Amino acid sequence: MTFTRRTILRGGLAMGAMTALPRLSFAAQTLEMGSARLDTLSDGNLVLPLSFVSDNPDAKPILESYGITGDSVEPPCNVTLYRDGTNTVLFDVGSGNDFMPSAGKLMEAMDALEVAPDDVTHVVFTHGHPDHLWGVLDDFDEPFFANAQHMMGKDEFEYWLNPETLDTIDDGRKTFAAGALRRLEILEDQIDTFGDGAEILPGIMAQMTPGHTPGHMSFHVKNGETQAFIIGDAIVNHYLAFAAPGMEAGSDQNPELGAKTRVALLDQLAADKLPIIGYHLPEGGLGRVERDGDAYRYVAEL
C-alpha cells in the first residue's frame, strides 16, 4: 500500500511522478490499492464559527494546544475519488457554487487528474449537508455527473427528502434542509438507496455512522489485500474529535449520538489500523488513528 503526497498547499508544484500537474492551491494525496487507486481531491475549505467545533469550556485548552485561539475555523474539504479500472466513484461532490466562496473547487482538482464529470460512473453520498451534496447539480439544475448512478443511504435520503424536515431541523440548518430537498427532488428517480452493511459496489461496504446526520454513512473499501475507510463527517476534525471523542460537537445534528458513534468508530479504526480518509482532516485527509492513553491521535500520511 503506497501513499503519495501529490501537491503542496497554497499553489506549490507537484513533485515526483506527478510533475506535469499545473500549479494548484489545494492538498491532495493518492493511495494505491492493488489494482485500484484512491485520490483525495480538494473542494476548498469552509469558514465556520468555533461553536461548530464545540462550545464546551473544557475544549478550550485542547484547541489552544493545536493553535486554535480565534473565533472561527477553516476546515478543508476532501472529496474521495476511487478508480478500480471499471468504476470511477466519487464519494461526495463538494459544495458547488451556492454555499461558500472558499469552497466549490472540485472541478479544478478533477481537471488536474484529467478526470471529466462524464467519466464518473457512481456518485456516493456520505450525507446530505451542503459541502457534500450541493455540487451535484450544474447552473441549470441538471445533474453535473450526467452518466453516474447516484447512491445514498436510505435513512439519509428519506430524512432530507421529507418536507417536514424543514419544520423540525434547527434554525441554523434550515437552509441545509431546503437545499438538500431541492436537489434530491430533482435527482429522486436517479438515486439508489442502501442500508447498513450493504456492498454497494464490488469491494465497497456501507457502515452506518449516525449522529452527524440521522443516516450518515461511512465506507469500508477493499481491493485485493488493501483496505481503507472513508469516514465522511463521522470524525469531523483532527484535534478535538480525537483528543476528546466523547465531547459533544456543535456540527453534529444529534451531538449525543454523534459522540457515541465517534468513540466506537475510533476504537474500531485504531484496532484495525486501516488508512482513513476524512472529509475535513488536514493535508489531503489521508491518515490513520492511533491510541493515545484514554483518547486517540490522528497521524497524517505525508
mmCIF file with all atom_site columns, all heavy atoms in Angstrom, residues 182-197:
data_model
loop_
_atom_site.group_PDB
_atom_site.id
_atom_site.type_symbol
_atom_site.label_atom_id
_atom_site.label_alt_id
_atom_site.label_comp_id
_atom_site.label_asym_id
_atom_site.label_entity_id
_atom_site.label_seq_id
_atom_site.pdbx_PDB_ins_code
_atom_site.Cartn_x
_atom_site.Cartn_y
_atom_site.Cartn_z
_atom_site.occupancy
_atom_site.B_iso_or_equiv
_atom_site.pdbx_formal_charge
_atom_site.auth_seq_id
_atom_site.auth_comp_id
_atom_site.auth_asym_id
_atom_site.auth_atom_id
_atom_site.pdbx_PDB_model_num
ATOM 1   N N   . ARG A 1 182 ? -34.360 20.412 -2.464  1.00 0.00 ? 182 ARG A N   1
ATOM 2   C CA  . ARG A 1 182 ? -34.439 20.811 -3.873  1.00 0.00 ? 182 ARG A CA  1
ATOM 3   C C   . ARG A 1 182 ? -33.608 19.889 -4.748  1.00 0.00 ? 182 ARG A C   1
ATOM 4   O O   . ARG A 1 182 ? -34.059 19.429 -5.811  1.00 0.00 ? 182 ARG A O   1
ATOM 5   C CB  . ARG A 1 182 ? -33.973 22.258 -4.040  1.00 0.00 ? 182 ARG A CB  1
ATOM 6   C CG  . ARG A 1 182 ? -34.090 22.761 -5.475  1.00 0.00 ? 182 ARG A CG  1
ATOM 7   C CD  . ARG A 1 182 ? -33.801 24.239 -5.571  1.00 0.00 ? 182 ARG A CD  1
ATOM 8   N NE  . ARG A 1 182 ? -32.398 24.557 -5.434  1.00 0.00 ? 182 ARG A NE  1
ATOM 9   C CZ  . ARG A 1 182 ? -31.503 24.467 -6.420  1.00 0.00 ? 182 ARG A CZ  1
ATOM 10  N NH1 . ARG A 1 182 ? -31.876 24.010 -7.609  1.00 0.00 ? 182 ARG A NH1 1
ATOM 11  N NH2 . ARG A 1 182 ? -30.258 24.810 -6.231  1.00 0.00 ? 182 ARG A NH2 1
ATOM 12  N N   . ARG A 1 183 ? -32.403 19.589 -4.326  1.00 0.00 ? 183 ARG A N   1
ATOM 13  C CA  . ARG A 1 183 ? -31.513 18.748 -5.139  1.00 0.00 ? 183 ARG A CA  1
ATOM 14  C C   . ARG A 1 183 ? -31.980 17.306 -5.199  1.00 0.00 ? 183 ARG A C   1
ATOM 15  O O   . ARG A 1 183 ? -31.943 16.670 -6.265  1.00 0.00 ? 183 ARG A O   1
ATOM 16  C CB  . ARG A 1 183 ? -30.088 18.855 -4.596  1.00 0.00 ? 183 ARG A CB  1
ATOM 17  C CG  . ARG A 1 183 ? -29.448 20.210 -4.898  1.00 0.00 ? 183 ARG A CG  1
ATOM 18  C CD  . ARG A 1 183 ? -28.254 20.515 -4.022  1.00 0.00 ? 183 ARG A CD  1
ATOM 19  N NE  . ARG A 1 183 ? -27.631 21.784 -4.412  1.00 0.00 ? 183 ARG A NE  1
ATOM 20  C CZ  . ARG A 1 183 ? -28.062 22.979 -4.027  1.00 0.00 ? 183 ARG A CZ  1
ATOM 21  N NH1 . ARG A 1 183 ? -29.115 23.076 -3.214  1.00 0.00 ? 183 ARG A NH1 1
ATOM 22  N NH2 . ARG A 1 183 ? -27.457 24.084 -4.434  1.00 0.00 ? 183 ARG A NH2 1
ATOM 23  N N   . LEU A 1 184 ? -32.430 16.782 -4.076  1.00 0.00 ? 184 LEU A N   1
ATOM 24  C CA  . LEU A 1 184 ? -32.840 15.378 -4.063  1.00 0.00 ? 184 LEU A CA  1
ATOM 25  C C   . LEU A 1 184 ? -34.168 15.163 -4.774  1.00 0.00 ? 184 LEU A C   1
ATOM 26  O O   . LEU A 1 184 ? -34.410 14.087 -5.336  1.00 0.00 ? 184 LEU A O   1
ATOM 27  C CB  . LEU A 1 184 ? -32.899 14.868 -2.626  1.00 0.00 ? 184 LEU A CB  1
ATOM 28  C CG  . LEU A 1 184 ? -31.531 14.785 -1.922  1.00 0.00 ? 184 LEU A CG  1
ATOM 29  C CD1 . LEU A 1 184 ? -31.698 14.280 -0.501  1.00 0.00 ? 184 LEU A CD1 1
ATOM 30  C CD2 . LEU A 1 184 ? -30.559 13.890 -2.694  1.00 0.00 ? 184 LEU A CD2 1
ATOM 31  N N   . GLU A 1 185 ? -35.026 16.163 -4.776  1.00 0.00 ? 185 GLU A N   1
ATOM 32  C CA  . GLU A 1 185 ? -36.254 16.045 -5.565  1.00 0.00 ? 185 GLU A CA  1
ATOM 33  C C   . GLU A 1 185 ? -35.922 15.944 -7.049  1.00 0.00 ? 185 GLU A C   1
ATOM 34  O O   . GLU A 1 185 ? -36.543 15.166 -7.787  1.00 0.00 ? 185 GLU A O   1
ATOM 35  C CB  . GLU A 1 185 ? -37.162 17.245 -5.304  1.00 0.00 ? 185 GLU A CB  1
ATOM 36  C CG  . GLU A 1 185 ? -37.918 17.177 -3.994  1.00 0.00 ? 185 GLU A CG  1
ATOM 37  C CD  . GLU A 1 185 ? -38.825 18.372 -3.794  1.00 0.00 ? 185 GLU A CD  1
ATOM 38  O OE1 . GLU A 1 185 ? -38.518 19.467 -4.329  1.00 0.00 ? 185 GLU A OE1 1
ATOM 39  O OE2 . GLU A 1 185 ? -39.850 18.222 -3.095  1.00 0.00 ? 185 GLU A OE2 1
ATOM 40  N N   . ILE A 1 186 ? -34.950 16.713 -7.514  1.00 0.00 ? 186 ILE A N   1
ATOM 41  C CA  . ILE A 1 186 ? -34.541 16.650 -8.916  1.00 0.00 ? 186 ILE A CA  1
ATOM 42  C C   . ILE A 1 186 ? -33.925 15.300 -9.244  1.00 0.00 ? 186 ILE A C   1
ATOM 43  O O   . ILE A 1 186 ? -34.159 14.722 -10.315 1.00 0.00 ? 186 ILE A O   1
ATOM 44  C CB  . ILE A 1 186 ? -33.557 17.793 -9.227  1.00 0.00 ? 186 ILE A CB  1
ATOM 45  C CG1 . ILE A 1 186 ? -34.278 19.147 -9.172  1.00 0.00 ? 186 ILE A CG1 1
ATOM 46  C CG2 . ILE A 1 186 ? -32.896 17.599 -10.593 1.00 0.00 ? 186 ILE A CG2 1
ATOM 47  C CD1 . ILE A 1 186 ? -33.365 20.352 -9.263  1.00 0.00 ? 186 ILE A CD1 1
ATOM 48  N N   . LEU A 1 187 ? -33.157 14.759 -8.294  1.00 0.00 ? 187 LEU A N   1
ATOM 49  C CA  . LEU A 1 187 ? -32.421 13.514 -8.530  1.00 0.00 ? 187 LEU A CA  1
ATOM 50  C C   . LEU A 1 187 ? -33.182 12.264 -8.110  1.00 0.00 ? 187 LEU A C   1
ATOM 51  O O   . LEU A 1 187 ? -32.669 11.156 -8.277  1.00 0.00 ? 187 LEU A O   1
ATOM 52  C CB  . LEU A 1 187 ? -31.098 13.541 -7.757  1.00 0.00 ? 187 LEU A CB  1
ATOM 53  C CG  . LEU A 1 187 ? -30.051 14.560 -8.214  1.00 0.00 ? 187 LEU A CG  1
ATOM 54  C CD1 . LEU A 1 187 ? -28.950 14.663 -7.172  1.00 0.00 ? 187 LEU A CD1 1
ATOM 55  C CD2 . LEU A 1 187 ? -29.478 14.161 -9.565  1.00 0.00 ? 187 LEU A CD2 1
ATOM 56  N N   . GLU A 1 188 ? -34.382 12.428 -7.590  1.00 0.00 ? 188 GLU A N   1
ATOM 57  C CA  . GLU A 1 188 ? -35.076 11.325 -6.925  1.00 0.00 ? 188 GLU A CA  1
ATOM 58  C C   . GLU A 1 188 ? -35.126 10.048 -7.746  1.00 0.00 ? 188 GLU A C   1
ATOM 59  O O   . GLU A 1 188 ? -34.914 8.945  -7.233  1.00 0.00 ? 188 GLU A O   1
ATOM 60  C CB  . GLU A 1 188 ? -36.496 11.758 -6.545  1.00 0.00 ? 188 GLU A CB  1
ATOM 61  C CG  . GLU A 1 188 ? -37.245 10.720 -5.744  1.00 0.00 ? 188 GLU A CG  1
ATOM 62  C CD  . GLU A 1 188 ? -38.573 11.249 -5.208  1.00 0.00 ? 188 GLU A CD  1
ATOM 63  O OE1 . GLU A 1 188 ? -38.933 12.412 -5.526  1.00 0.00 ? 188 GLU A OE1 1
ATOM 64  O OE2 . GLU A 1 188 ? -39.248 10.496 -4.484  1.00 0.00 ? 188 GLU A OE2 1
ATOM 65  N N   . ASP A 1 189 ? -35.398 10.154 -9.038  1.00 0.00 ? 189 ASP A N   1
ATOM 66  C CA  . ASP A 1 189 ? -35.531 8.966  -9.878  1.00 0.00 ? 189 ASP A CA  1
ATOM 67  C C   . ASP A 1 189 ? -34.179 8.393  -10.299 1.00 0.00 ? 189 ASP A C   1
ATOM 68  O O   . ASP A 1 189 ? -34.131 7.348  -10.949 1.00 0.00 ? 189 ASP A O   1
ATOM 69  C CB  . ASP A 1 189 ? -36.351 9.291  -11.126 1.00 0.00 ? 189 ASP A CB  1
ATOM 70  C CG  . ASP A 1 189 ? -37.803 9.626  -10.801 1.00 0.00 ? 189 ASP A CG  1
ATOM 71  O OD1 . ASP A 1 189 ? -38.290 9.184  -9.740  1.00 0.00 ? 189 ASP A OD1 1
ATOM 72  O OD2 . ASP A 1 189 ? -38.436 10.353 -11.596 1.00 0.00 ? 189 ASP A OD2 1
ATOM 73  N N   . GLN A 1 190 ? -33.101 9.081  -9.937  1.00 0.00 ? 190 GLN A N   1
ATOM 74  C CA  . GLN A 1 190 ? -31.774 8.631  -10.347 1.00 0.00 ? 190 GLN A CA  1
ATOM 75  C C   . GLN A 1 190 ? -30.923 8.164  -9.173  1.00 0.00 ? 190 GLN A C   1
ATOM 76  O O   . GLN A 1 190 ? -29.730 7.895  -9.335  1.00 0.00 ? 190 GLN A O   1
ATOM 77  C CB  . GLN A 1 190 ? -31.043 9.770  -11.067 1.00 0.00 ? 190 GLN A CB  1
ATOM 78  C CG  . GLN A 1 190 ? -31.781 10.282 -12.293 1.00 0.00 ? 190 GLN A CG  1
ATOM 79  C CD  . GLN A 1 190 ? -31.100 11.487 -12.906 1.00 0.00 ? 190 GLN A CD  1
ATOM 80  O OE1 . GLN A 1 190 ? -29.884 11.483 -13.116 1.00 0.00 ? 190 GLN A OE1 1
ATOM 81  N NE2 . GLN A 1 190 ? -31.853 12.531 -13.194 1.00 0.00 ? 190 GLN A NE2 1
ATOM 82  N N   . ILE A 1 191 ? -31.515 8.067  -7.989  1.00 0.00 ? 191 ILE A N   1
ATOM 83  C CA  . ILE A 1 191 ? -30.765 7.693  -6.794  1.00 0.00 ? 191 ILE A CA  1
ATOM 84  C C   . ILE A 1 191 ? -31.159 6.297  -6.337  1.00 0.00 ? 191 ILE A C   1
ATOM 85  O O   . ILE A 1 191 ? -32.347 5.996  -6.162  1.00 0.00 ? 191 ILE A O   1
ATOM 86  C CB  . ILE A 1 191 ? -30.985 8.708  -5.659  1.00 0.00 ? 191 ILE A CB  1
ATOM 87  C CG1 . ILE A 1 191 ? -30.313 10.037 -6.008  1.00 0.00 ? 191 ILE A CG1 1
ATOM 88  C CG2 . ILE A 1 191 ? -30.435 8.185  -4.337  1.00 0.00 ? 191 ILE A CG2 1
ATOM 89  C CD1 . ILE A 1 191 ? -30.351 11.072 -4.910  1.00 0.00 ? 191 ILE A CD1 1
ATOM 90  N N   . ASP A 1 192 ? -30.159 5.452  -6.152  1.00 0.00 ? 192 ASP A N   1
ATOM 91  C CA  . ASP A 1 192 ? -30.349 4.160  -5.489  1.00 0.00 ? 192 ASP A CA  1
ATOM 92  C C   . ASP A 1 192 ? -30.057 4.340  -4.007  1.00 0.00 ? 192 ASP A C   1
ATOM 93  O O   . ASP A 1 192 ? -29.103 5.040  -3.628  1.00 0.00 ? 192 ASP A O   1
ATOM 94  C CB  . ASP A 1 192 ? -29.378 3.116  -6.051  1.00 0.00 ? 192 ASP A CB  1
ATOM 95  C CG  . ASP A 1 192 ? -29.801 2.600  -7.414  1.00 0.00 ? 192 ASP A CG  1
ATOM 96  O OD1 . ASP A 1 192 ? -30.978 2.783  -7.780  1.00 0.00 ? 192 ASP A OD1 1
ATOM 97  O OD2 . ASP A 1 192 ? -28.950 2.022  -8.110  1.00 0.00 ? 192 ASP A OD2 1
ATOM 98  N N   . THR A 1 193 ? -30.864 3.726  -3.165  1.00 0.00 ? 193 THR A N   1
ATOM 99  C CA  . THR A 1 193 ? -30.626 3.783  -1.739  1.00 0.00 ? 193 THR A CA  1
ATOM 100 C C   . THR A 1 193 ? -30.169 2.421  -1.231  1.00 0.00 ? 193 THR A C   1
ATOM 101 O O   . THR A 1 193 ? -30.387 1.392  -1.865  1.00 0.00 ? 193 THR A O   1
ATOM 102 C CB  . THR A 1 193 ? -31.871 4.245  -0.974  1.00 0.00 ? 193 THR A CB  1
ATOM 103 O OG1 . THR A 1 193 ? -32.940 3.319  -1.214  1.00 0.00 ? 193 THR A OG1 1
ATOM 104 C CG2 . THR A 1 193 ? -32.292 5.637  -1.420  1.00 0.00 ? 193 THR A CG2 1
ATOM 105 N N   . PHE A 1 194 ? -29.540 2.436  -0.059  1.00 0.00 ? 194 PHE A N   1
ATOM 106 C CA  . PHE A 1 194 ? -28.976 1.211  0.511   1.00 0.00 ? 194 PHE A CA  1
ATOM 107 C C   . PHE A 1 194 ? -28.990 1.309  2.025   1.00 0.00 ? 194 PHE A C   1
ATOM 108 O O   . PHE A 1 194 ? -29.178 2.396  2.591   1.00 0.00 ? 194 PHE A O   1
ATOM 109 C CB  . PHE A 1 194 ? -27.549 0.983  -0.004  1.00 0.00 ? 194 PHE A CB  1
ATOM 110 C CG  . PHE A 1 194 ? -26.634 2.160  0.202   1.00 0.00 ? 194 PHE A CG  1
ATOM 111 C CD1 . PHE A 1 194 ? -25.927 2.313  1.387   1.00 0.00 ? 194 PHE A CD1 1
ATOM 112 C CD2 . PHE A 1 194 ? -26.491 3.138  -0.782  1.00 0.00 ? 194 PHE A CD2 1
ATOM 113 C CE1 . PHE A 1 194 ? -25.105 3.412  1.583   1.00 0.00 ? 194 PHE A CE1 1
ATOM 114 C CE2 . PHE A 1 194 ? -25.661 4.235  -0.596  1.00 0.00 ? 194 PHE A CE2 1
ATOM 115 C CZ  . PHE A 1 194 ? -24.972 4.369  0.600   1.00 0.00 ? 194 PHE A CZ  1
ATOM 116 N N   . GLY A 1 195 ? -28.790 0.179  2.667   1.00 0.00 ? 195 GLY A N   1
ATOM 117 C CA  . GLY A 1 195 ? -28.815 0.135  4.122   1.00 0.00 ? 195 GLY A CA  1
ATOM 118 C C   . GLY A 1 195 ? -27.464 -0.197 4.721   1.00 0.00 ? 195 GLY A C   1
ATOM 119 O O   . GLY A 1 195 ? -26.475 -0.434 4.014   1.00 0.00 ? 195 GLY A O   1
ATOM 120 N N   . ASP A 1 196 ? -27.421 -0.225 6.027   1.00 0.00 ? 196 ASP A N   1
ATOM 121 C CA  . ASP A 1 196 ? -26.206 -0.541 6.765   1.00 0.00 ? 196 ASP A CA  1
ATOM 122 C C   . ASP A 1 196 ? -25.707 -1.931 6.384   1.00 0.00 ? 196 ASP A C   1
ATOM 123 O O   . ASP A 1 196 ? -26.464 -2.884 6.331   1.00 0.00 ? 196 ASP A O   1
ATOM 124 C CB  . ASP A 1 196 ? -26.513 -0.486 8.272   1.00 0.00 ? 196 ASP A CB  1
ATOM 125 C CG  . ASP A 1 196 ? -25.286 -0.678 9.132   1.00 0.00 ? 196 ASP A CG  1
ATOM 126 O OD1 . ASP A 1 196 ? -24.165 -0.385 8.674   1.00 0.00 ? 196 ASP A OD1 1
ATOM 127 O OD2 . ASP A 1 196 ? -25.450 -1.120 10.295  1.00 0.00 ? 196 ASP A OD2 1
ATOM 128 N N   . GLY A 1 197 ? -24.411 -2.033 6.102   1.00 0.00 ? 197 GLY A N   1
ATOM 129 C CA  . GLY A 1 197 ? -23.805 -3.320 5.780   1.00 0.00 ? 197 GLY A CA  1
ATOM 130 C C   . GLY A 1 197 ? -23.896 -3.724 4.322   1.00 0.00 ? 197 GLY A C   1
ATOM 131 O O   . GLY A 1 197 ? -23.362 -4.775 3.941   1.00 0.00 ? 197 GLY A O   1
#
